[in-house]
Amino acid sequence: MVNKLPRLRRPRNFHVRVIQYEADHALDGHESQEAAQTQLLPYHSLVLLIVFVIKDELRRETLQYSRENLEKEPQIMELRNQCRIIRTSELATAQEKLNELEKRKRSSSSTLLVLFFINHKAMNQVDEECEALQEKFLEKEIDTSPFVHKYKNLRTTYHKRALNHLSAKTSTMC
């Protein structure tokens, strides 16, 4: 199994730099520049040269990116501050709305609870009146026609209140 090395991106003007480096360093022991350009570096020197050139190019790019980042630092800080201000103000507004809604819920819940118990008490009172009317009818204290009329009205009132009671009960459960 052959391991493949990843391909490195060559810096711009890579070949020109290698040739120029060879030419500059070959002139030390030679009389002419033409002779220096024809002589090649040994393999390990060429590899080291390539590594140094790539390292130098990466260092320059890193410095350039660092400078660009430093130039953008005040803008980044300003945007962070703006975000923090917006987040804080929106949070405060949302918190106020939540507190107001919770207060309204508590007040309406307590009002509904009071109305719920009043309605329940009135419903029981109508039911007791119906039972008392039945007793009067069974003891022949009241005639059939007035009994039916009063009983029908009381039961209608009772069932309306029972529906209101059931409605209030289910709406508070949601």
Side-chain angles (χ1 to χ4, degrees):
M1 180 173 211
V2 177
N3 289 337
K4 290 187 176 181
L5 295 174
R7 293 195 67 149
L8 296 175
R9 183 179 70 86
R10 289 188 181 135
R12 288 176 253 124
N13 303 326
F14 173 73
H15 298 294
V16 174
R17 287 182 187 174
V18 170
I19 292 170
Q20 184 63 42
Y21 182 83
E22 288 176 352
D24 290 346
H25 287 77
L27 285 176
D28 293 341
H30 303 303
E31 290 85 299
S32 72
Q33 187 176 4
E34 294 170 5
Q37 288 178 349
T38 58
Q39 181 186 6
L40 296 176
L41 291 173
Y43 179 74
H44 68 280
S45 298
L46 186 60
V47 170
L48 286 174
L49 174 67
I50 292 170
V51 169
F52 288 134
V53 170
I54 291 173
K55 181 179 173 183
D56 186 50
E57 185 66 29
L58 289 174
R59 186 184 59 77
R60 282 191 196 123
E61 287 179 9
T62 303
L63 284 173
Q64 179 63 30
Y65 290 141
S66 298
R67 284 186 193 108
E68 290 173 6
N69 287 344
L70 286 174
E71 289 171 2
K72 294 177 183 176
E73 187 70 24
Q75 184 182 7
I76 291 170
M77 293 304 292
E78 179 63 29
L79 291 173
R80 279 187 184 152
N81 287 337
Q82 288 177 4
C83 287
R84 191 175 299 121
I85 290 168
I86 290 170
R87 205 176 312 128
T88 304
S89 65
E90 286 180 357
L91 178 64
T93 304
Q95 189 68 38
E96 285 177 19
K97 283 183 180 179
L98 178 64
N99 291 340
E100 180 183 332
L101 289 173
E102 285 178 346
K103 183 180 177 182
R104 287 175 54 192
K105 180 184 173 189
R106 282 191 300 270
S107 68
S108 65
S109 293
S110 62
T111 304
L112 283 176
L113 191 60
V114 168
L115 291 175
F116 178 77
F117 285 118
I118 290 172
N119 187 46
H120 187 67
K121 186 176 179 182
M123 192 175 74
N124 289 338
Q125 183 181 2
V126 170
D127 196 34
E128 289 172 3
E129 288 179 28
C130 285
E131 289 179 14
L133 191 61
Q134 285 176 359
E135 290 294 322
K136 285 182 181 180
F137 179 70
L138 291 175
E139 294 175 1
K140 306 267 186 204
E141 294 178 12
I142 191 168
D143 289 332
T144 306
S145 179
F147 167 75
V148 170
H149 181 68
K150 286 182 182 179
Y151 191 78
K152 181 181 146 194
N153 287 340
L154 286 173
R155 291 315 289 175
T156 302
T157 304
Y158 173 82
H159 287 293
K160 284 181 184 177
R161 290 182 180 166
L163 286 174
N164 285 339
H165 183 74
L166 184 63
S167 167
K169 191 175 187 180
T170 56
S171 70
T172 57
M173 290 185 345
C174 294

